[in-house]
Amino acid sequence: MTLTAPAQGEGVPLPGWTELLRRSPLEELLPTASRGDIISFALGLPAPQLFPVRDCAAAAARVLRAQGQASLQYGPPPPSLKRHVVRLMGSRGVECGEGQVFLTAGAQQGLSLLARLLLGPRGQVLTEELVYTGLQQAVAPYRPRTLTVPTDPETGMDVGAAEALLAGGARPAFLYAVTDGHNPLGVSMSLEKRRRLAGLARRHRVPVVEDDAYGFLHYDEEMLPPLRAFEAEWVFYVGTFSKILVPGFRAGWLVAPPSLAPALGSLKESSDINTATFAQHTVAAYLDAGRLPAHLRALRREYRARRDAMLRALAEHFPRGAAWRSPRSGFFIWVELPGEVNLDEVLRDAIETERVAFVPGRSFSADARPRAARSMRLNFSNCTPERIAEGIARLGRVLRRH
Amino acid sequence: MTLTAPAQGEGVPLPGWTELLRRSPLEELLPTASRGDIISFALGLPAPQLFPVRDCAAAAARVLRAQGQASLQYGPPPPSLKRHVVRLMGSRGVECGEGQVFLTAGAQQGLSLLARLLLGPRGQVLTEELVYTGLQQAVAPYRPRTLTVPTDPETGMDVGAAEALLAGGARPAFLYAVTDGHNPLGVSMSLEKRRRLAGLARRHRVPVVEDDAYGFLHYDEEMLPPLRAFEAEWVFYVGTFSKILVPGFRAGWLVAPPSLAPALGSLKESSDINTATFAQHTVAAYLDAGRLPAHLRALRREYRARRDAMLRALAEHFPRGAAWRSPRSGFFIWVELPGEVNLDEVLRDAIETERVAFVPGRSFSADARPRAARSMRLNFSNCTPERIAEGIARLGRVLRRH
């Protein structure tokens, strides 16, 4: 079906699905929330003060000195980068080989390629009721039917509900899971549920796309392995250097059965020929220098301090009856407010009068649940503990007015 | 329709269209043709010896020194890059503003985003009979009906045939055109045809996707303006720094009506969040230094010398009756051989016995025409004049055996 969408294209006829295109909250908030005078809990940005800029500069200079021409030419990814990814996956408890590693321009490209590969027009996807907006965008062109299951704030996805759907005959093209540091809920899935979900994928032959953007940023000593550690054939793992190194290189990876590699390779080539060779060489050179483990420890320490600062401030300043949990991984705290409240108005008020921003929960709602409408996602990675304390105090003031 | 494609996914059910996925000749030939002992006329690689590695290194170092954190963070493209693109477009005779410039990860991403935006499932596209494989890949997921028109080797696309199709009721989602340095044919469109095609787009309200990867690399004094100079609303221009600077930064752009920007922005975000910030900052810093015009002059001089070396060698070594033209822009010479010849066998023989490679013409055939089956695409940008003379002599020997 072709519709004319004059608001978009001065009469250029666009396919009907483009009406579904909406700018994500991230995109809409970027200009406002990036203003220096705003304390922003809105986006999922890593802290730029923690970027290893000097080590990145040294890596880039080394690459250009030693292999300037090759690193700037079209070409396959440097093999050493795949070796590093295999080692990183090993540190998460995942055994895989280089043949299972497929390099991407960040996690979002991984999701986008898998959606394109797995999802036919008007197919089904199975997600949680609250889901990362980037996944919604990645599947939108295929206009899928979205099946949803609830999420327990303590233990993660309701795997029993997923099982019931599959047992009832649902045949989604894939099930989408964020096992650790869920975006937006902050929850990490229990070990028992990981095992059960992996078994479910195998038994029902349903691919699980596991988005592990935050799994390396865990704040407890104990770290659970991702789903991919329990199931190699039906779990497609999506990883990225954006949160653990820098986003600006757009370097990510998939771990998927080698049999998918040719199709992924063709899709990737048709999307952008190949991933930025220079950035990949630079990431590989950074990893060669062996500083990532120490850098990861520093990130965990600092992000844990920021999380704790936010938890303390929430307890002090947020209204009675508001509920949240302490996330064990990732960048986000999900706060559910008591009673009726219009969070769009709260957000406008918060930005205008108190210069503080967040994302209203409905933005993440796959099926417009009322609970999401009175919740907010708060990011704690991109402000210092002091700014977090100040910003939550401001937000508390705004909430008391609504 | 969902089909099981066991060769690709160990039972992972993939949508039917993925059967159409094929590795492009570029992808298939990359491992062989990149071997140091092969003289390759196969790929469309720019000459790495001409990369301004030192200037790129200086730009990268400057960016990391002056704005290390910002250039490695998520973020919008640097505004100065859009200003540079506006100026570059001006040098091609195109008037546009920054609001019409949309930055991409190279030309292929521009094509891929436009295909996704314009093409509904089972829509139509209008291309020439011989067409860039990357365009074929970009449209494959939508399983379009492809309408084709012939190309005149002297004046380019048969615009009259396109007009007849449109007058006859064809309503393609877009028409694809490579106005200068056609890939694979090497031809540049005559001025009269440019005017006519732009008028056709306007009159029939059919978008034209103009792929101008090679337009800045023209070897005559006279340079014709691209279609976009004649029609601002219905021509969507695709540009790239890959051929005029380096491919490794994956930096390209679209010039399109500002009304398309929101939809393109959402699509881009769903594909890979945003273009590699660091690479974009580095390209902007390179351009700030003001060396591109001199670099472009040097590229044109050297590529012209390589083109001329290939033309001389073809005249000396290729069989009587073989036909080719001197391209005024770009990287390719298209050679049509006399009589029946199996070019797959010629290619195998050429690689095995003479260590020389090319791409058989049928790879570019949108509709499997017999003329393409006895043609070959020869790239002259990636070998020195000496290697070109030697390689064409070898290829001439192989052809005499077939």
Side-chain angles (χ1 to χ4, degrees), chain A residues 8 10 15 17 24 27 46 72-74 108-109 116-117 137 141 233 243 247-248 259 269-272, chain B residues 8 10 15 17 24 27 46 72-74 108-109 116-117 137 141 233 243 247-248 250 259 269-272:
Chain A
Q8 289 185 316
E10 285 175 344
W17 72 266
S24 77
E27 233 186 333
L72 296 172
Q73 181 62 292
Y74 292 107
Q108 184 66 35
Q109 185 173 62
R116 199 160 173 181
L117 188 64
Q137 288 186 306
E233 192 185 347
K243 308 299 194 285
S259 53
E269 196 195 20
S270 82
S271 301
D272 56 4
Chain B
Q8 291 185 314
E10 285 173 346
W17 71 266
S24 76
E27 235 188 329
L72 296 171
Q73 180 64 292
Y74 292 108
Q108 184 67 35
Q109 184 175 61
R116 199 160 172 182
L117 188 64
Q137 289 185 306
E233 192 185 347
K243 308 299 194 285
R250 310 303 309 123
S259 53
E269 195 194 21
S270 83
S271 301
D272 57 2

Side-chain angles (χ1 to χ4, degrees), chain B residues 108-337:
Chain B
Q108 184 67 35
Q109 184 175 61
L111 294 179
S112 170
L113 291 176
L114 287 174
R116 199 160 172 182
L117 188 64
L118 299 172
L119 192 51
R122 312 249 176 193
Q124 298 177 349
V125 290
L126 201 165
T127 75
E128 290 161 278
E129 288 167 5
L130 291 162
V131 63
Y132 169 51
T133 53
L135 189 273
Q136 298 178 38
Q137 289 185 306
V139 301
Y142 316 102
R143 309 184 82 152
R145 185 167 161 229
T146 303
L147 311 171
T148 64
V149 296
T151 305
D152 181 274
E154 238 357 287
T155 61
M157 176 189 289
D158 186 338
V159 177
E163 187 158 19
L165 281 172
L166 294 173
R171 278 298 163 266
F174 64 90
L175 184 156
Y176 174 74
V178 185
T179 325
D180 283 293
H182 190 284
N183 180 359
L185 292 170
V187 64
S188 292
M189 202 181 279
S190 68
L191 180 61
E192 186 249 329
K193 284 191 172 179
R194 289 176 203 232
R195 288 192 205 282
R196 236 177 111 193
L197 184 53
L200 211 57
R202 192 167 46 237
R203 210 164 53 253
H204 288 276
R205 305 172 66 81
V206 170
V208 172
V209 173
E210 177 177 39
D211 182 352
D212 195 40
Y214 302 99
F216 287 90
L217 297 172
H218 55 90
Y219 310 125
D220 294 348
E221 279 313 304
E222 189 210 25
M223 180 199 64
L224 296 176
L227 293 173
R228 175 60 180 70
F230 302 100
E231 169 55 41
E233 192 185 347
W234 292 94
V235 174
F236 306 157
Y237 176 100
V238 180
T240 178
F241 288 102
S242 293
K243 308 299 194 285
I244 60 176
L245 183 55
V246 299
F249 292 144
R250 310 303 309 123
W253 69 89
L254 301 177
V255 181
S259 53
L260 288 182
L264 284 170
S266 293
L267 275 182
K268 168 81 180 141
E269 195 194 21
S270 83
S271 301
D272 57 2
I273 303 278
N274 47 36
T275 300
T277 338
F278 175 59
Q280 288 191 332
H281 275 86
T282 303
V283 172
Y286 171 85
L287 295 169
D288 287 343
R291 304 229 179 132
L292 186 66
H295 179 62
L296 270 175
R297 282 193 297 275
L299 288 181
R300 288 186 195 120
R301 200 167 45 236
E302 180 60 29
Y303 288 139
R304 187 193 297 118
R306 293 177 180 209
R307 175 197 68 176
D308 293 344
M310 187 169 275
L311 292 170
R312 279 194 305 272
L314 286 169
E316 188 174 345
H317 300 290
F318 261 40
R320 183 194 298 267
W324 59 87
R325 316 252 168 171
S326 172
R328 286 182 300 181
S329 304
F331 281 2
F332 304 109
I333 294 174
W334 180 260
V335 179
E336 200 175 318
L337 296 164

Side-chain angles (χ1 to χ4, degrees), chain A residues 264-283:
Chain A
L264 284 171
S266 293
L267 275 183
K268 167 83 179 140
E269 196 195 20
S270 82
S271 301
D272 56 4
I273 302 280
N274 49 32
T275 298
T277 339
F278 175 59
Q280 288 191 332
H281 275 87
T282 303
V283 172

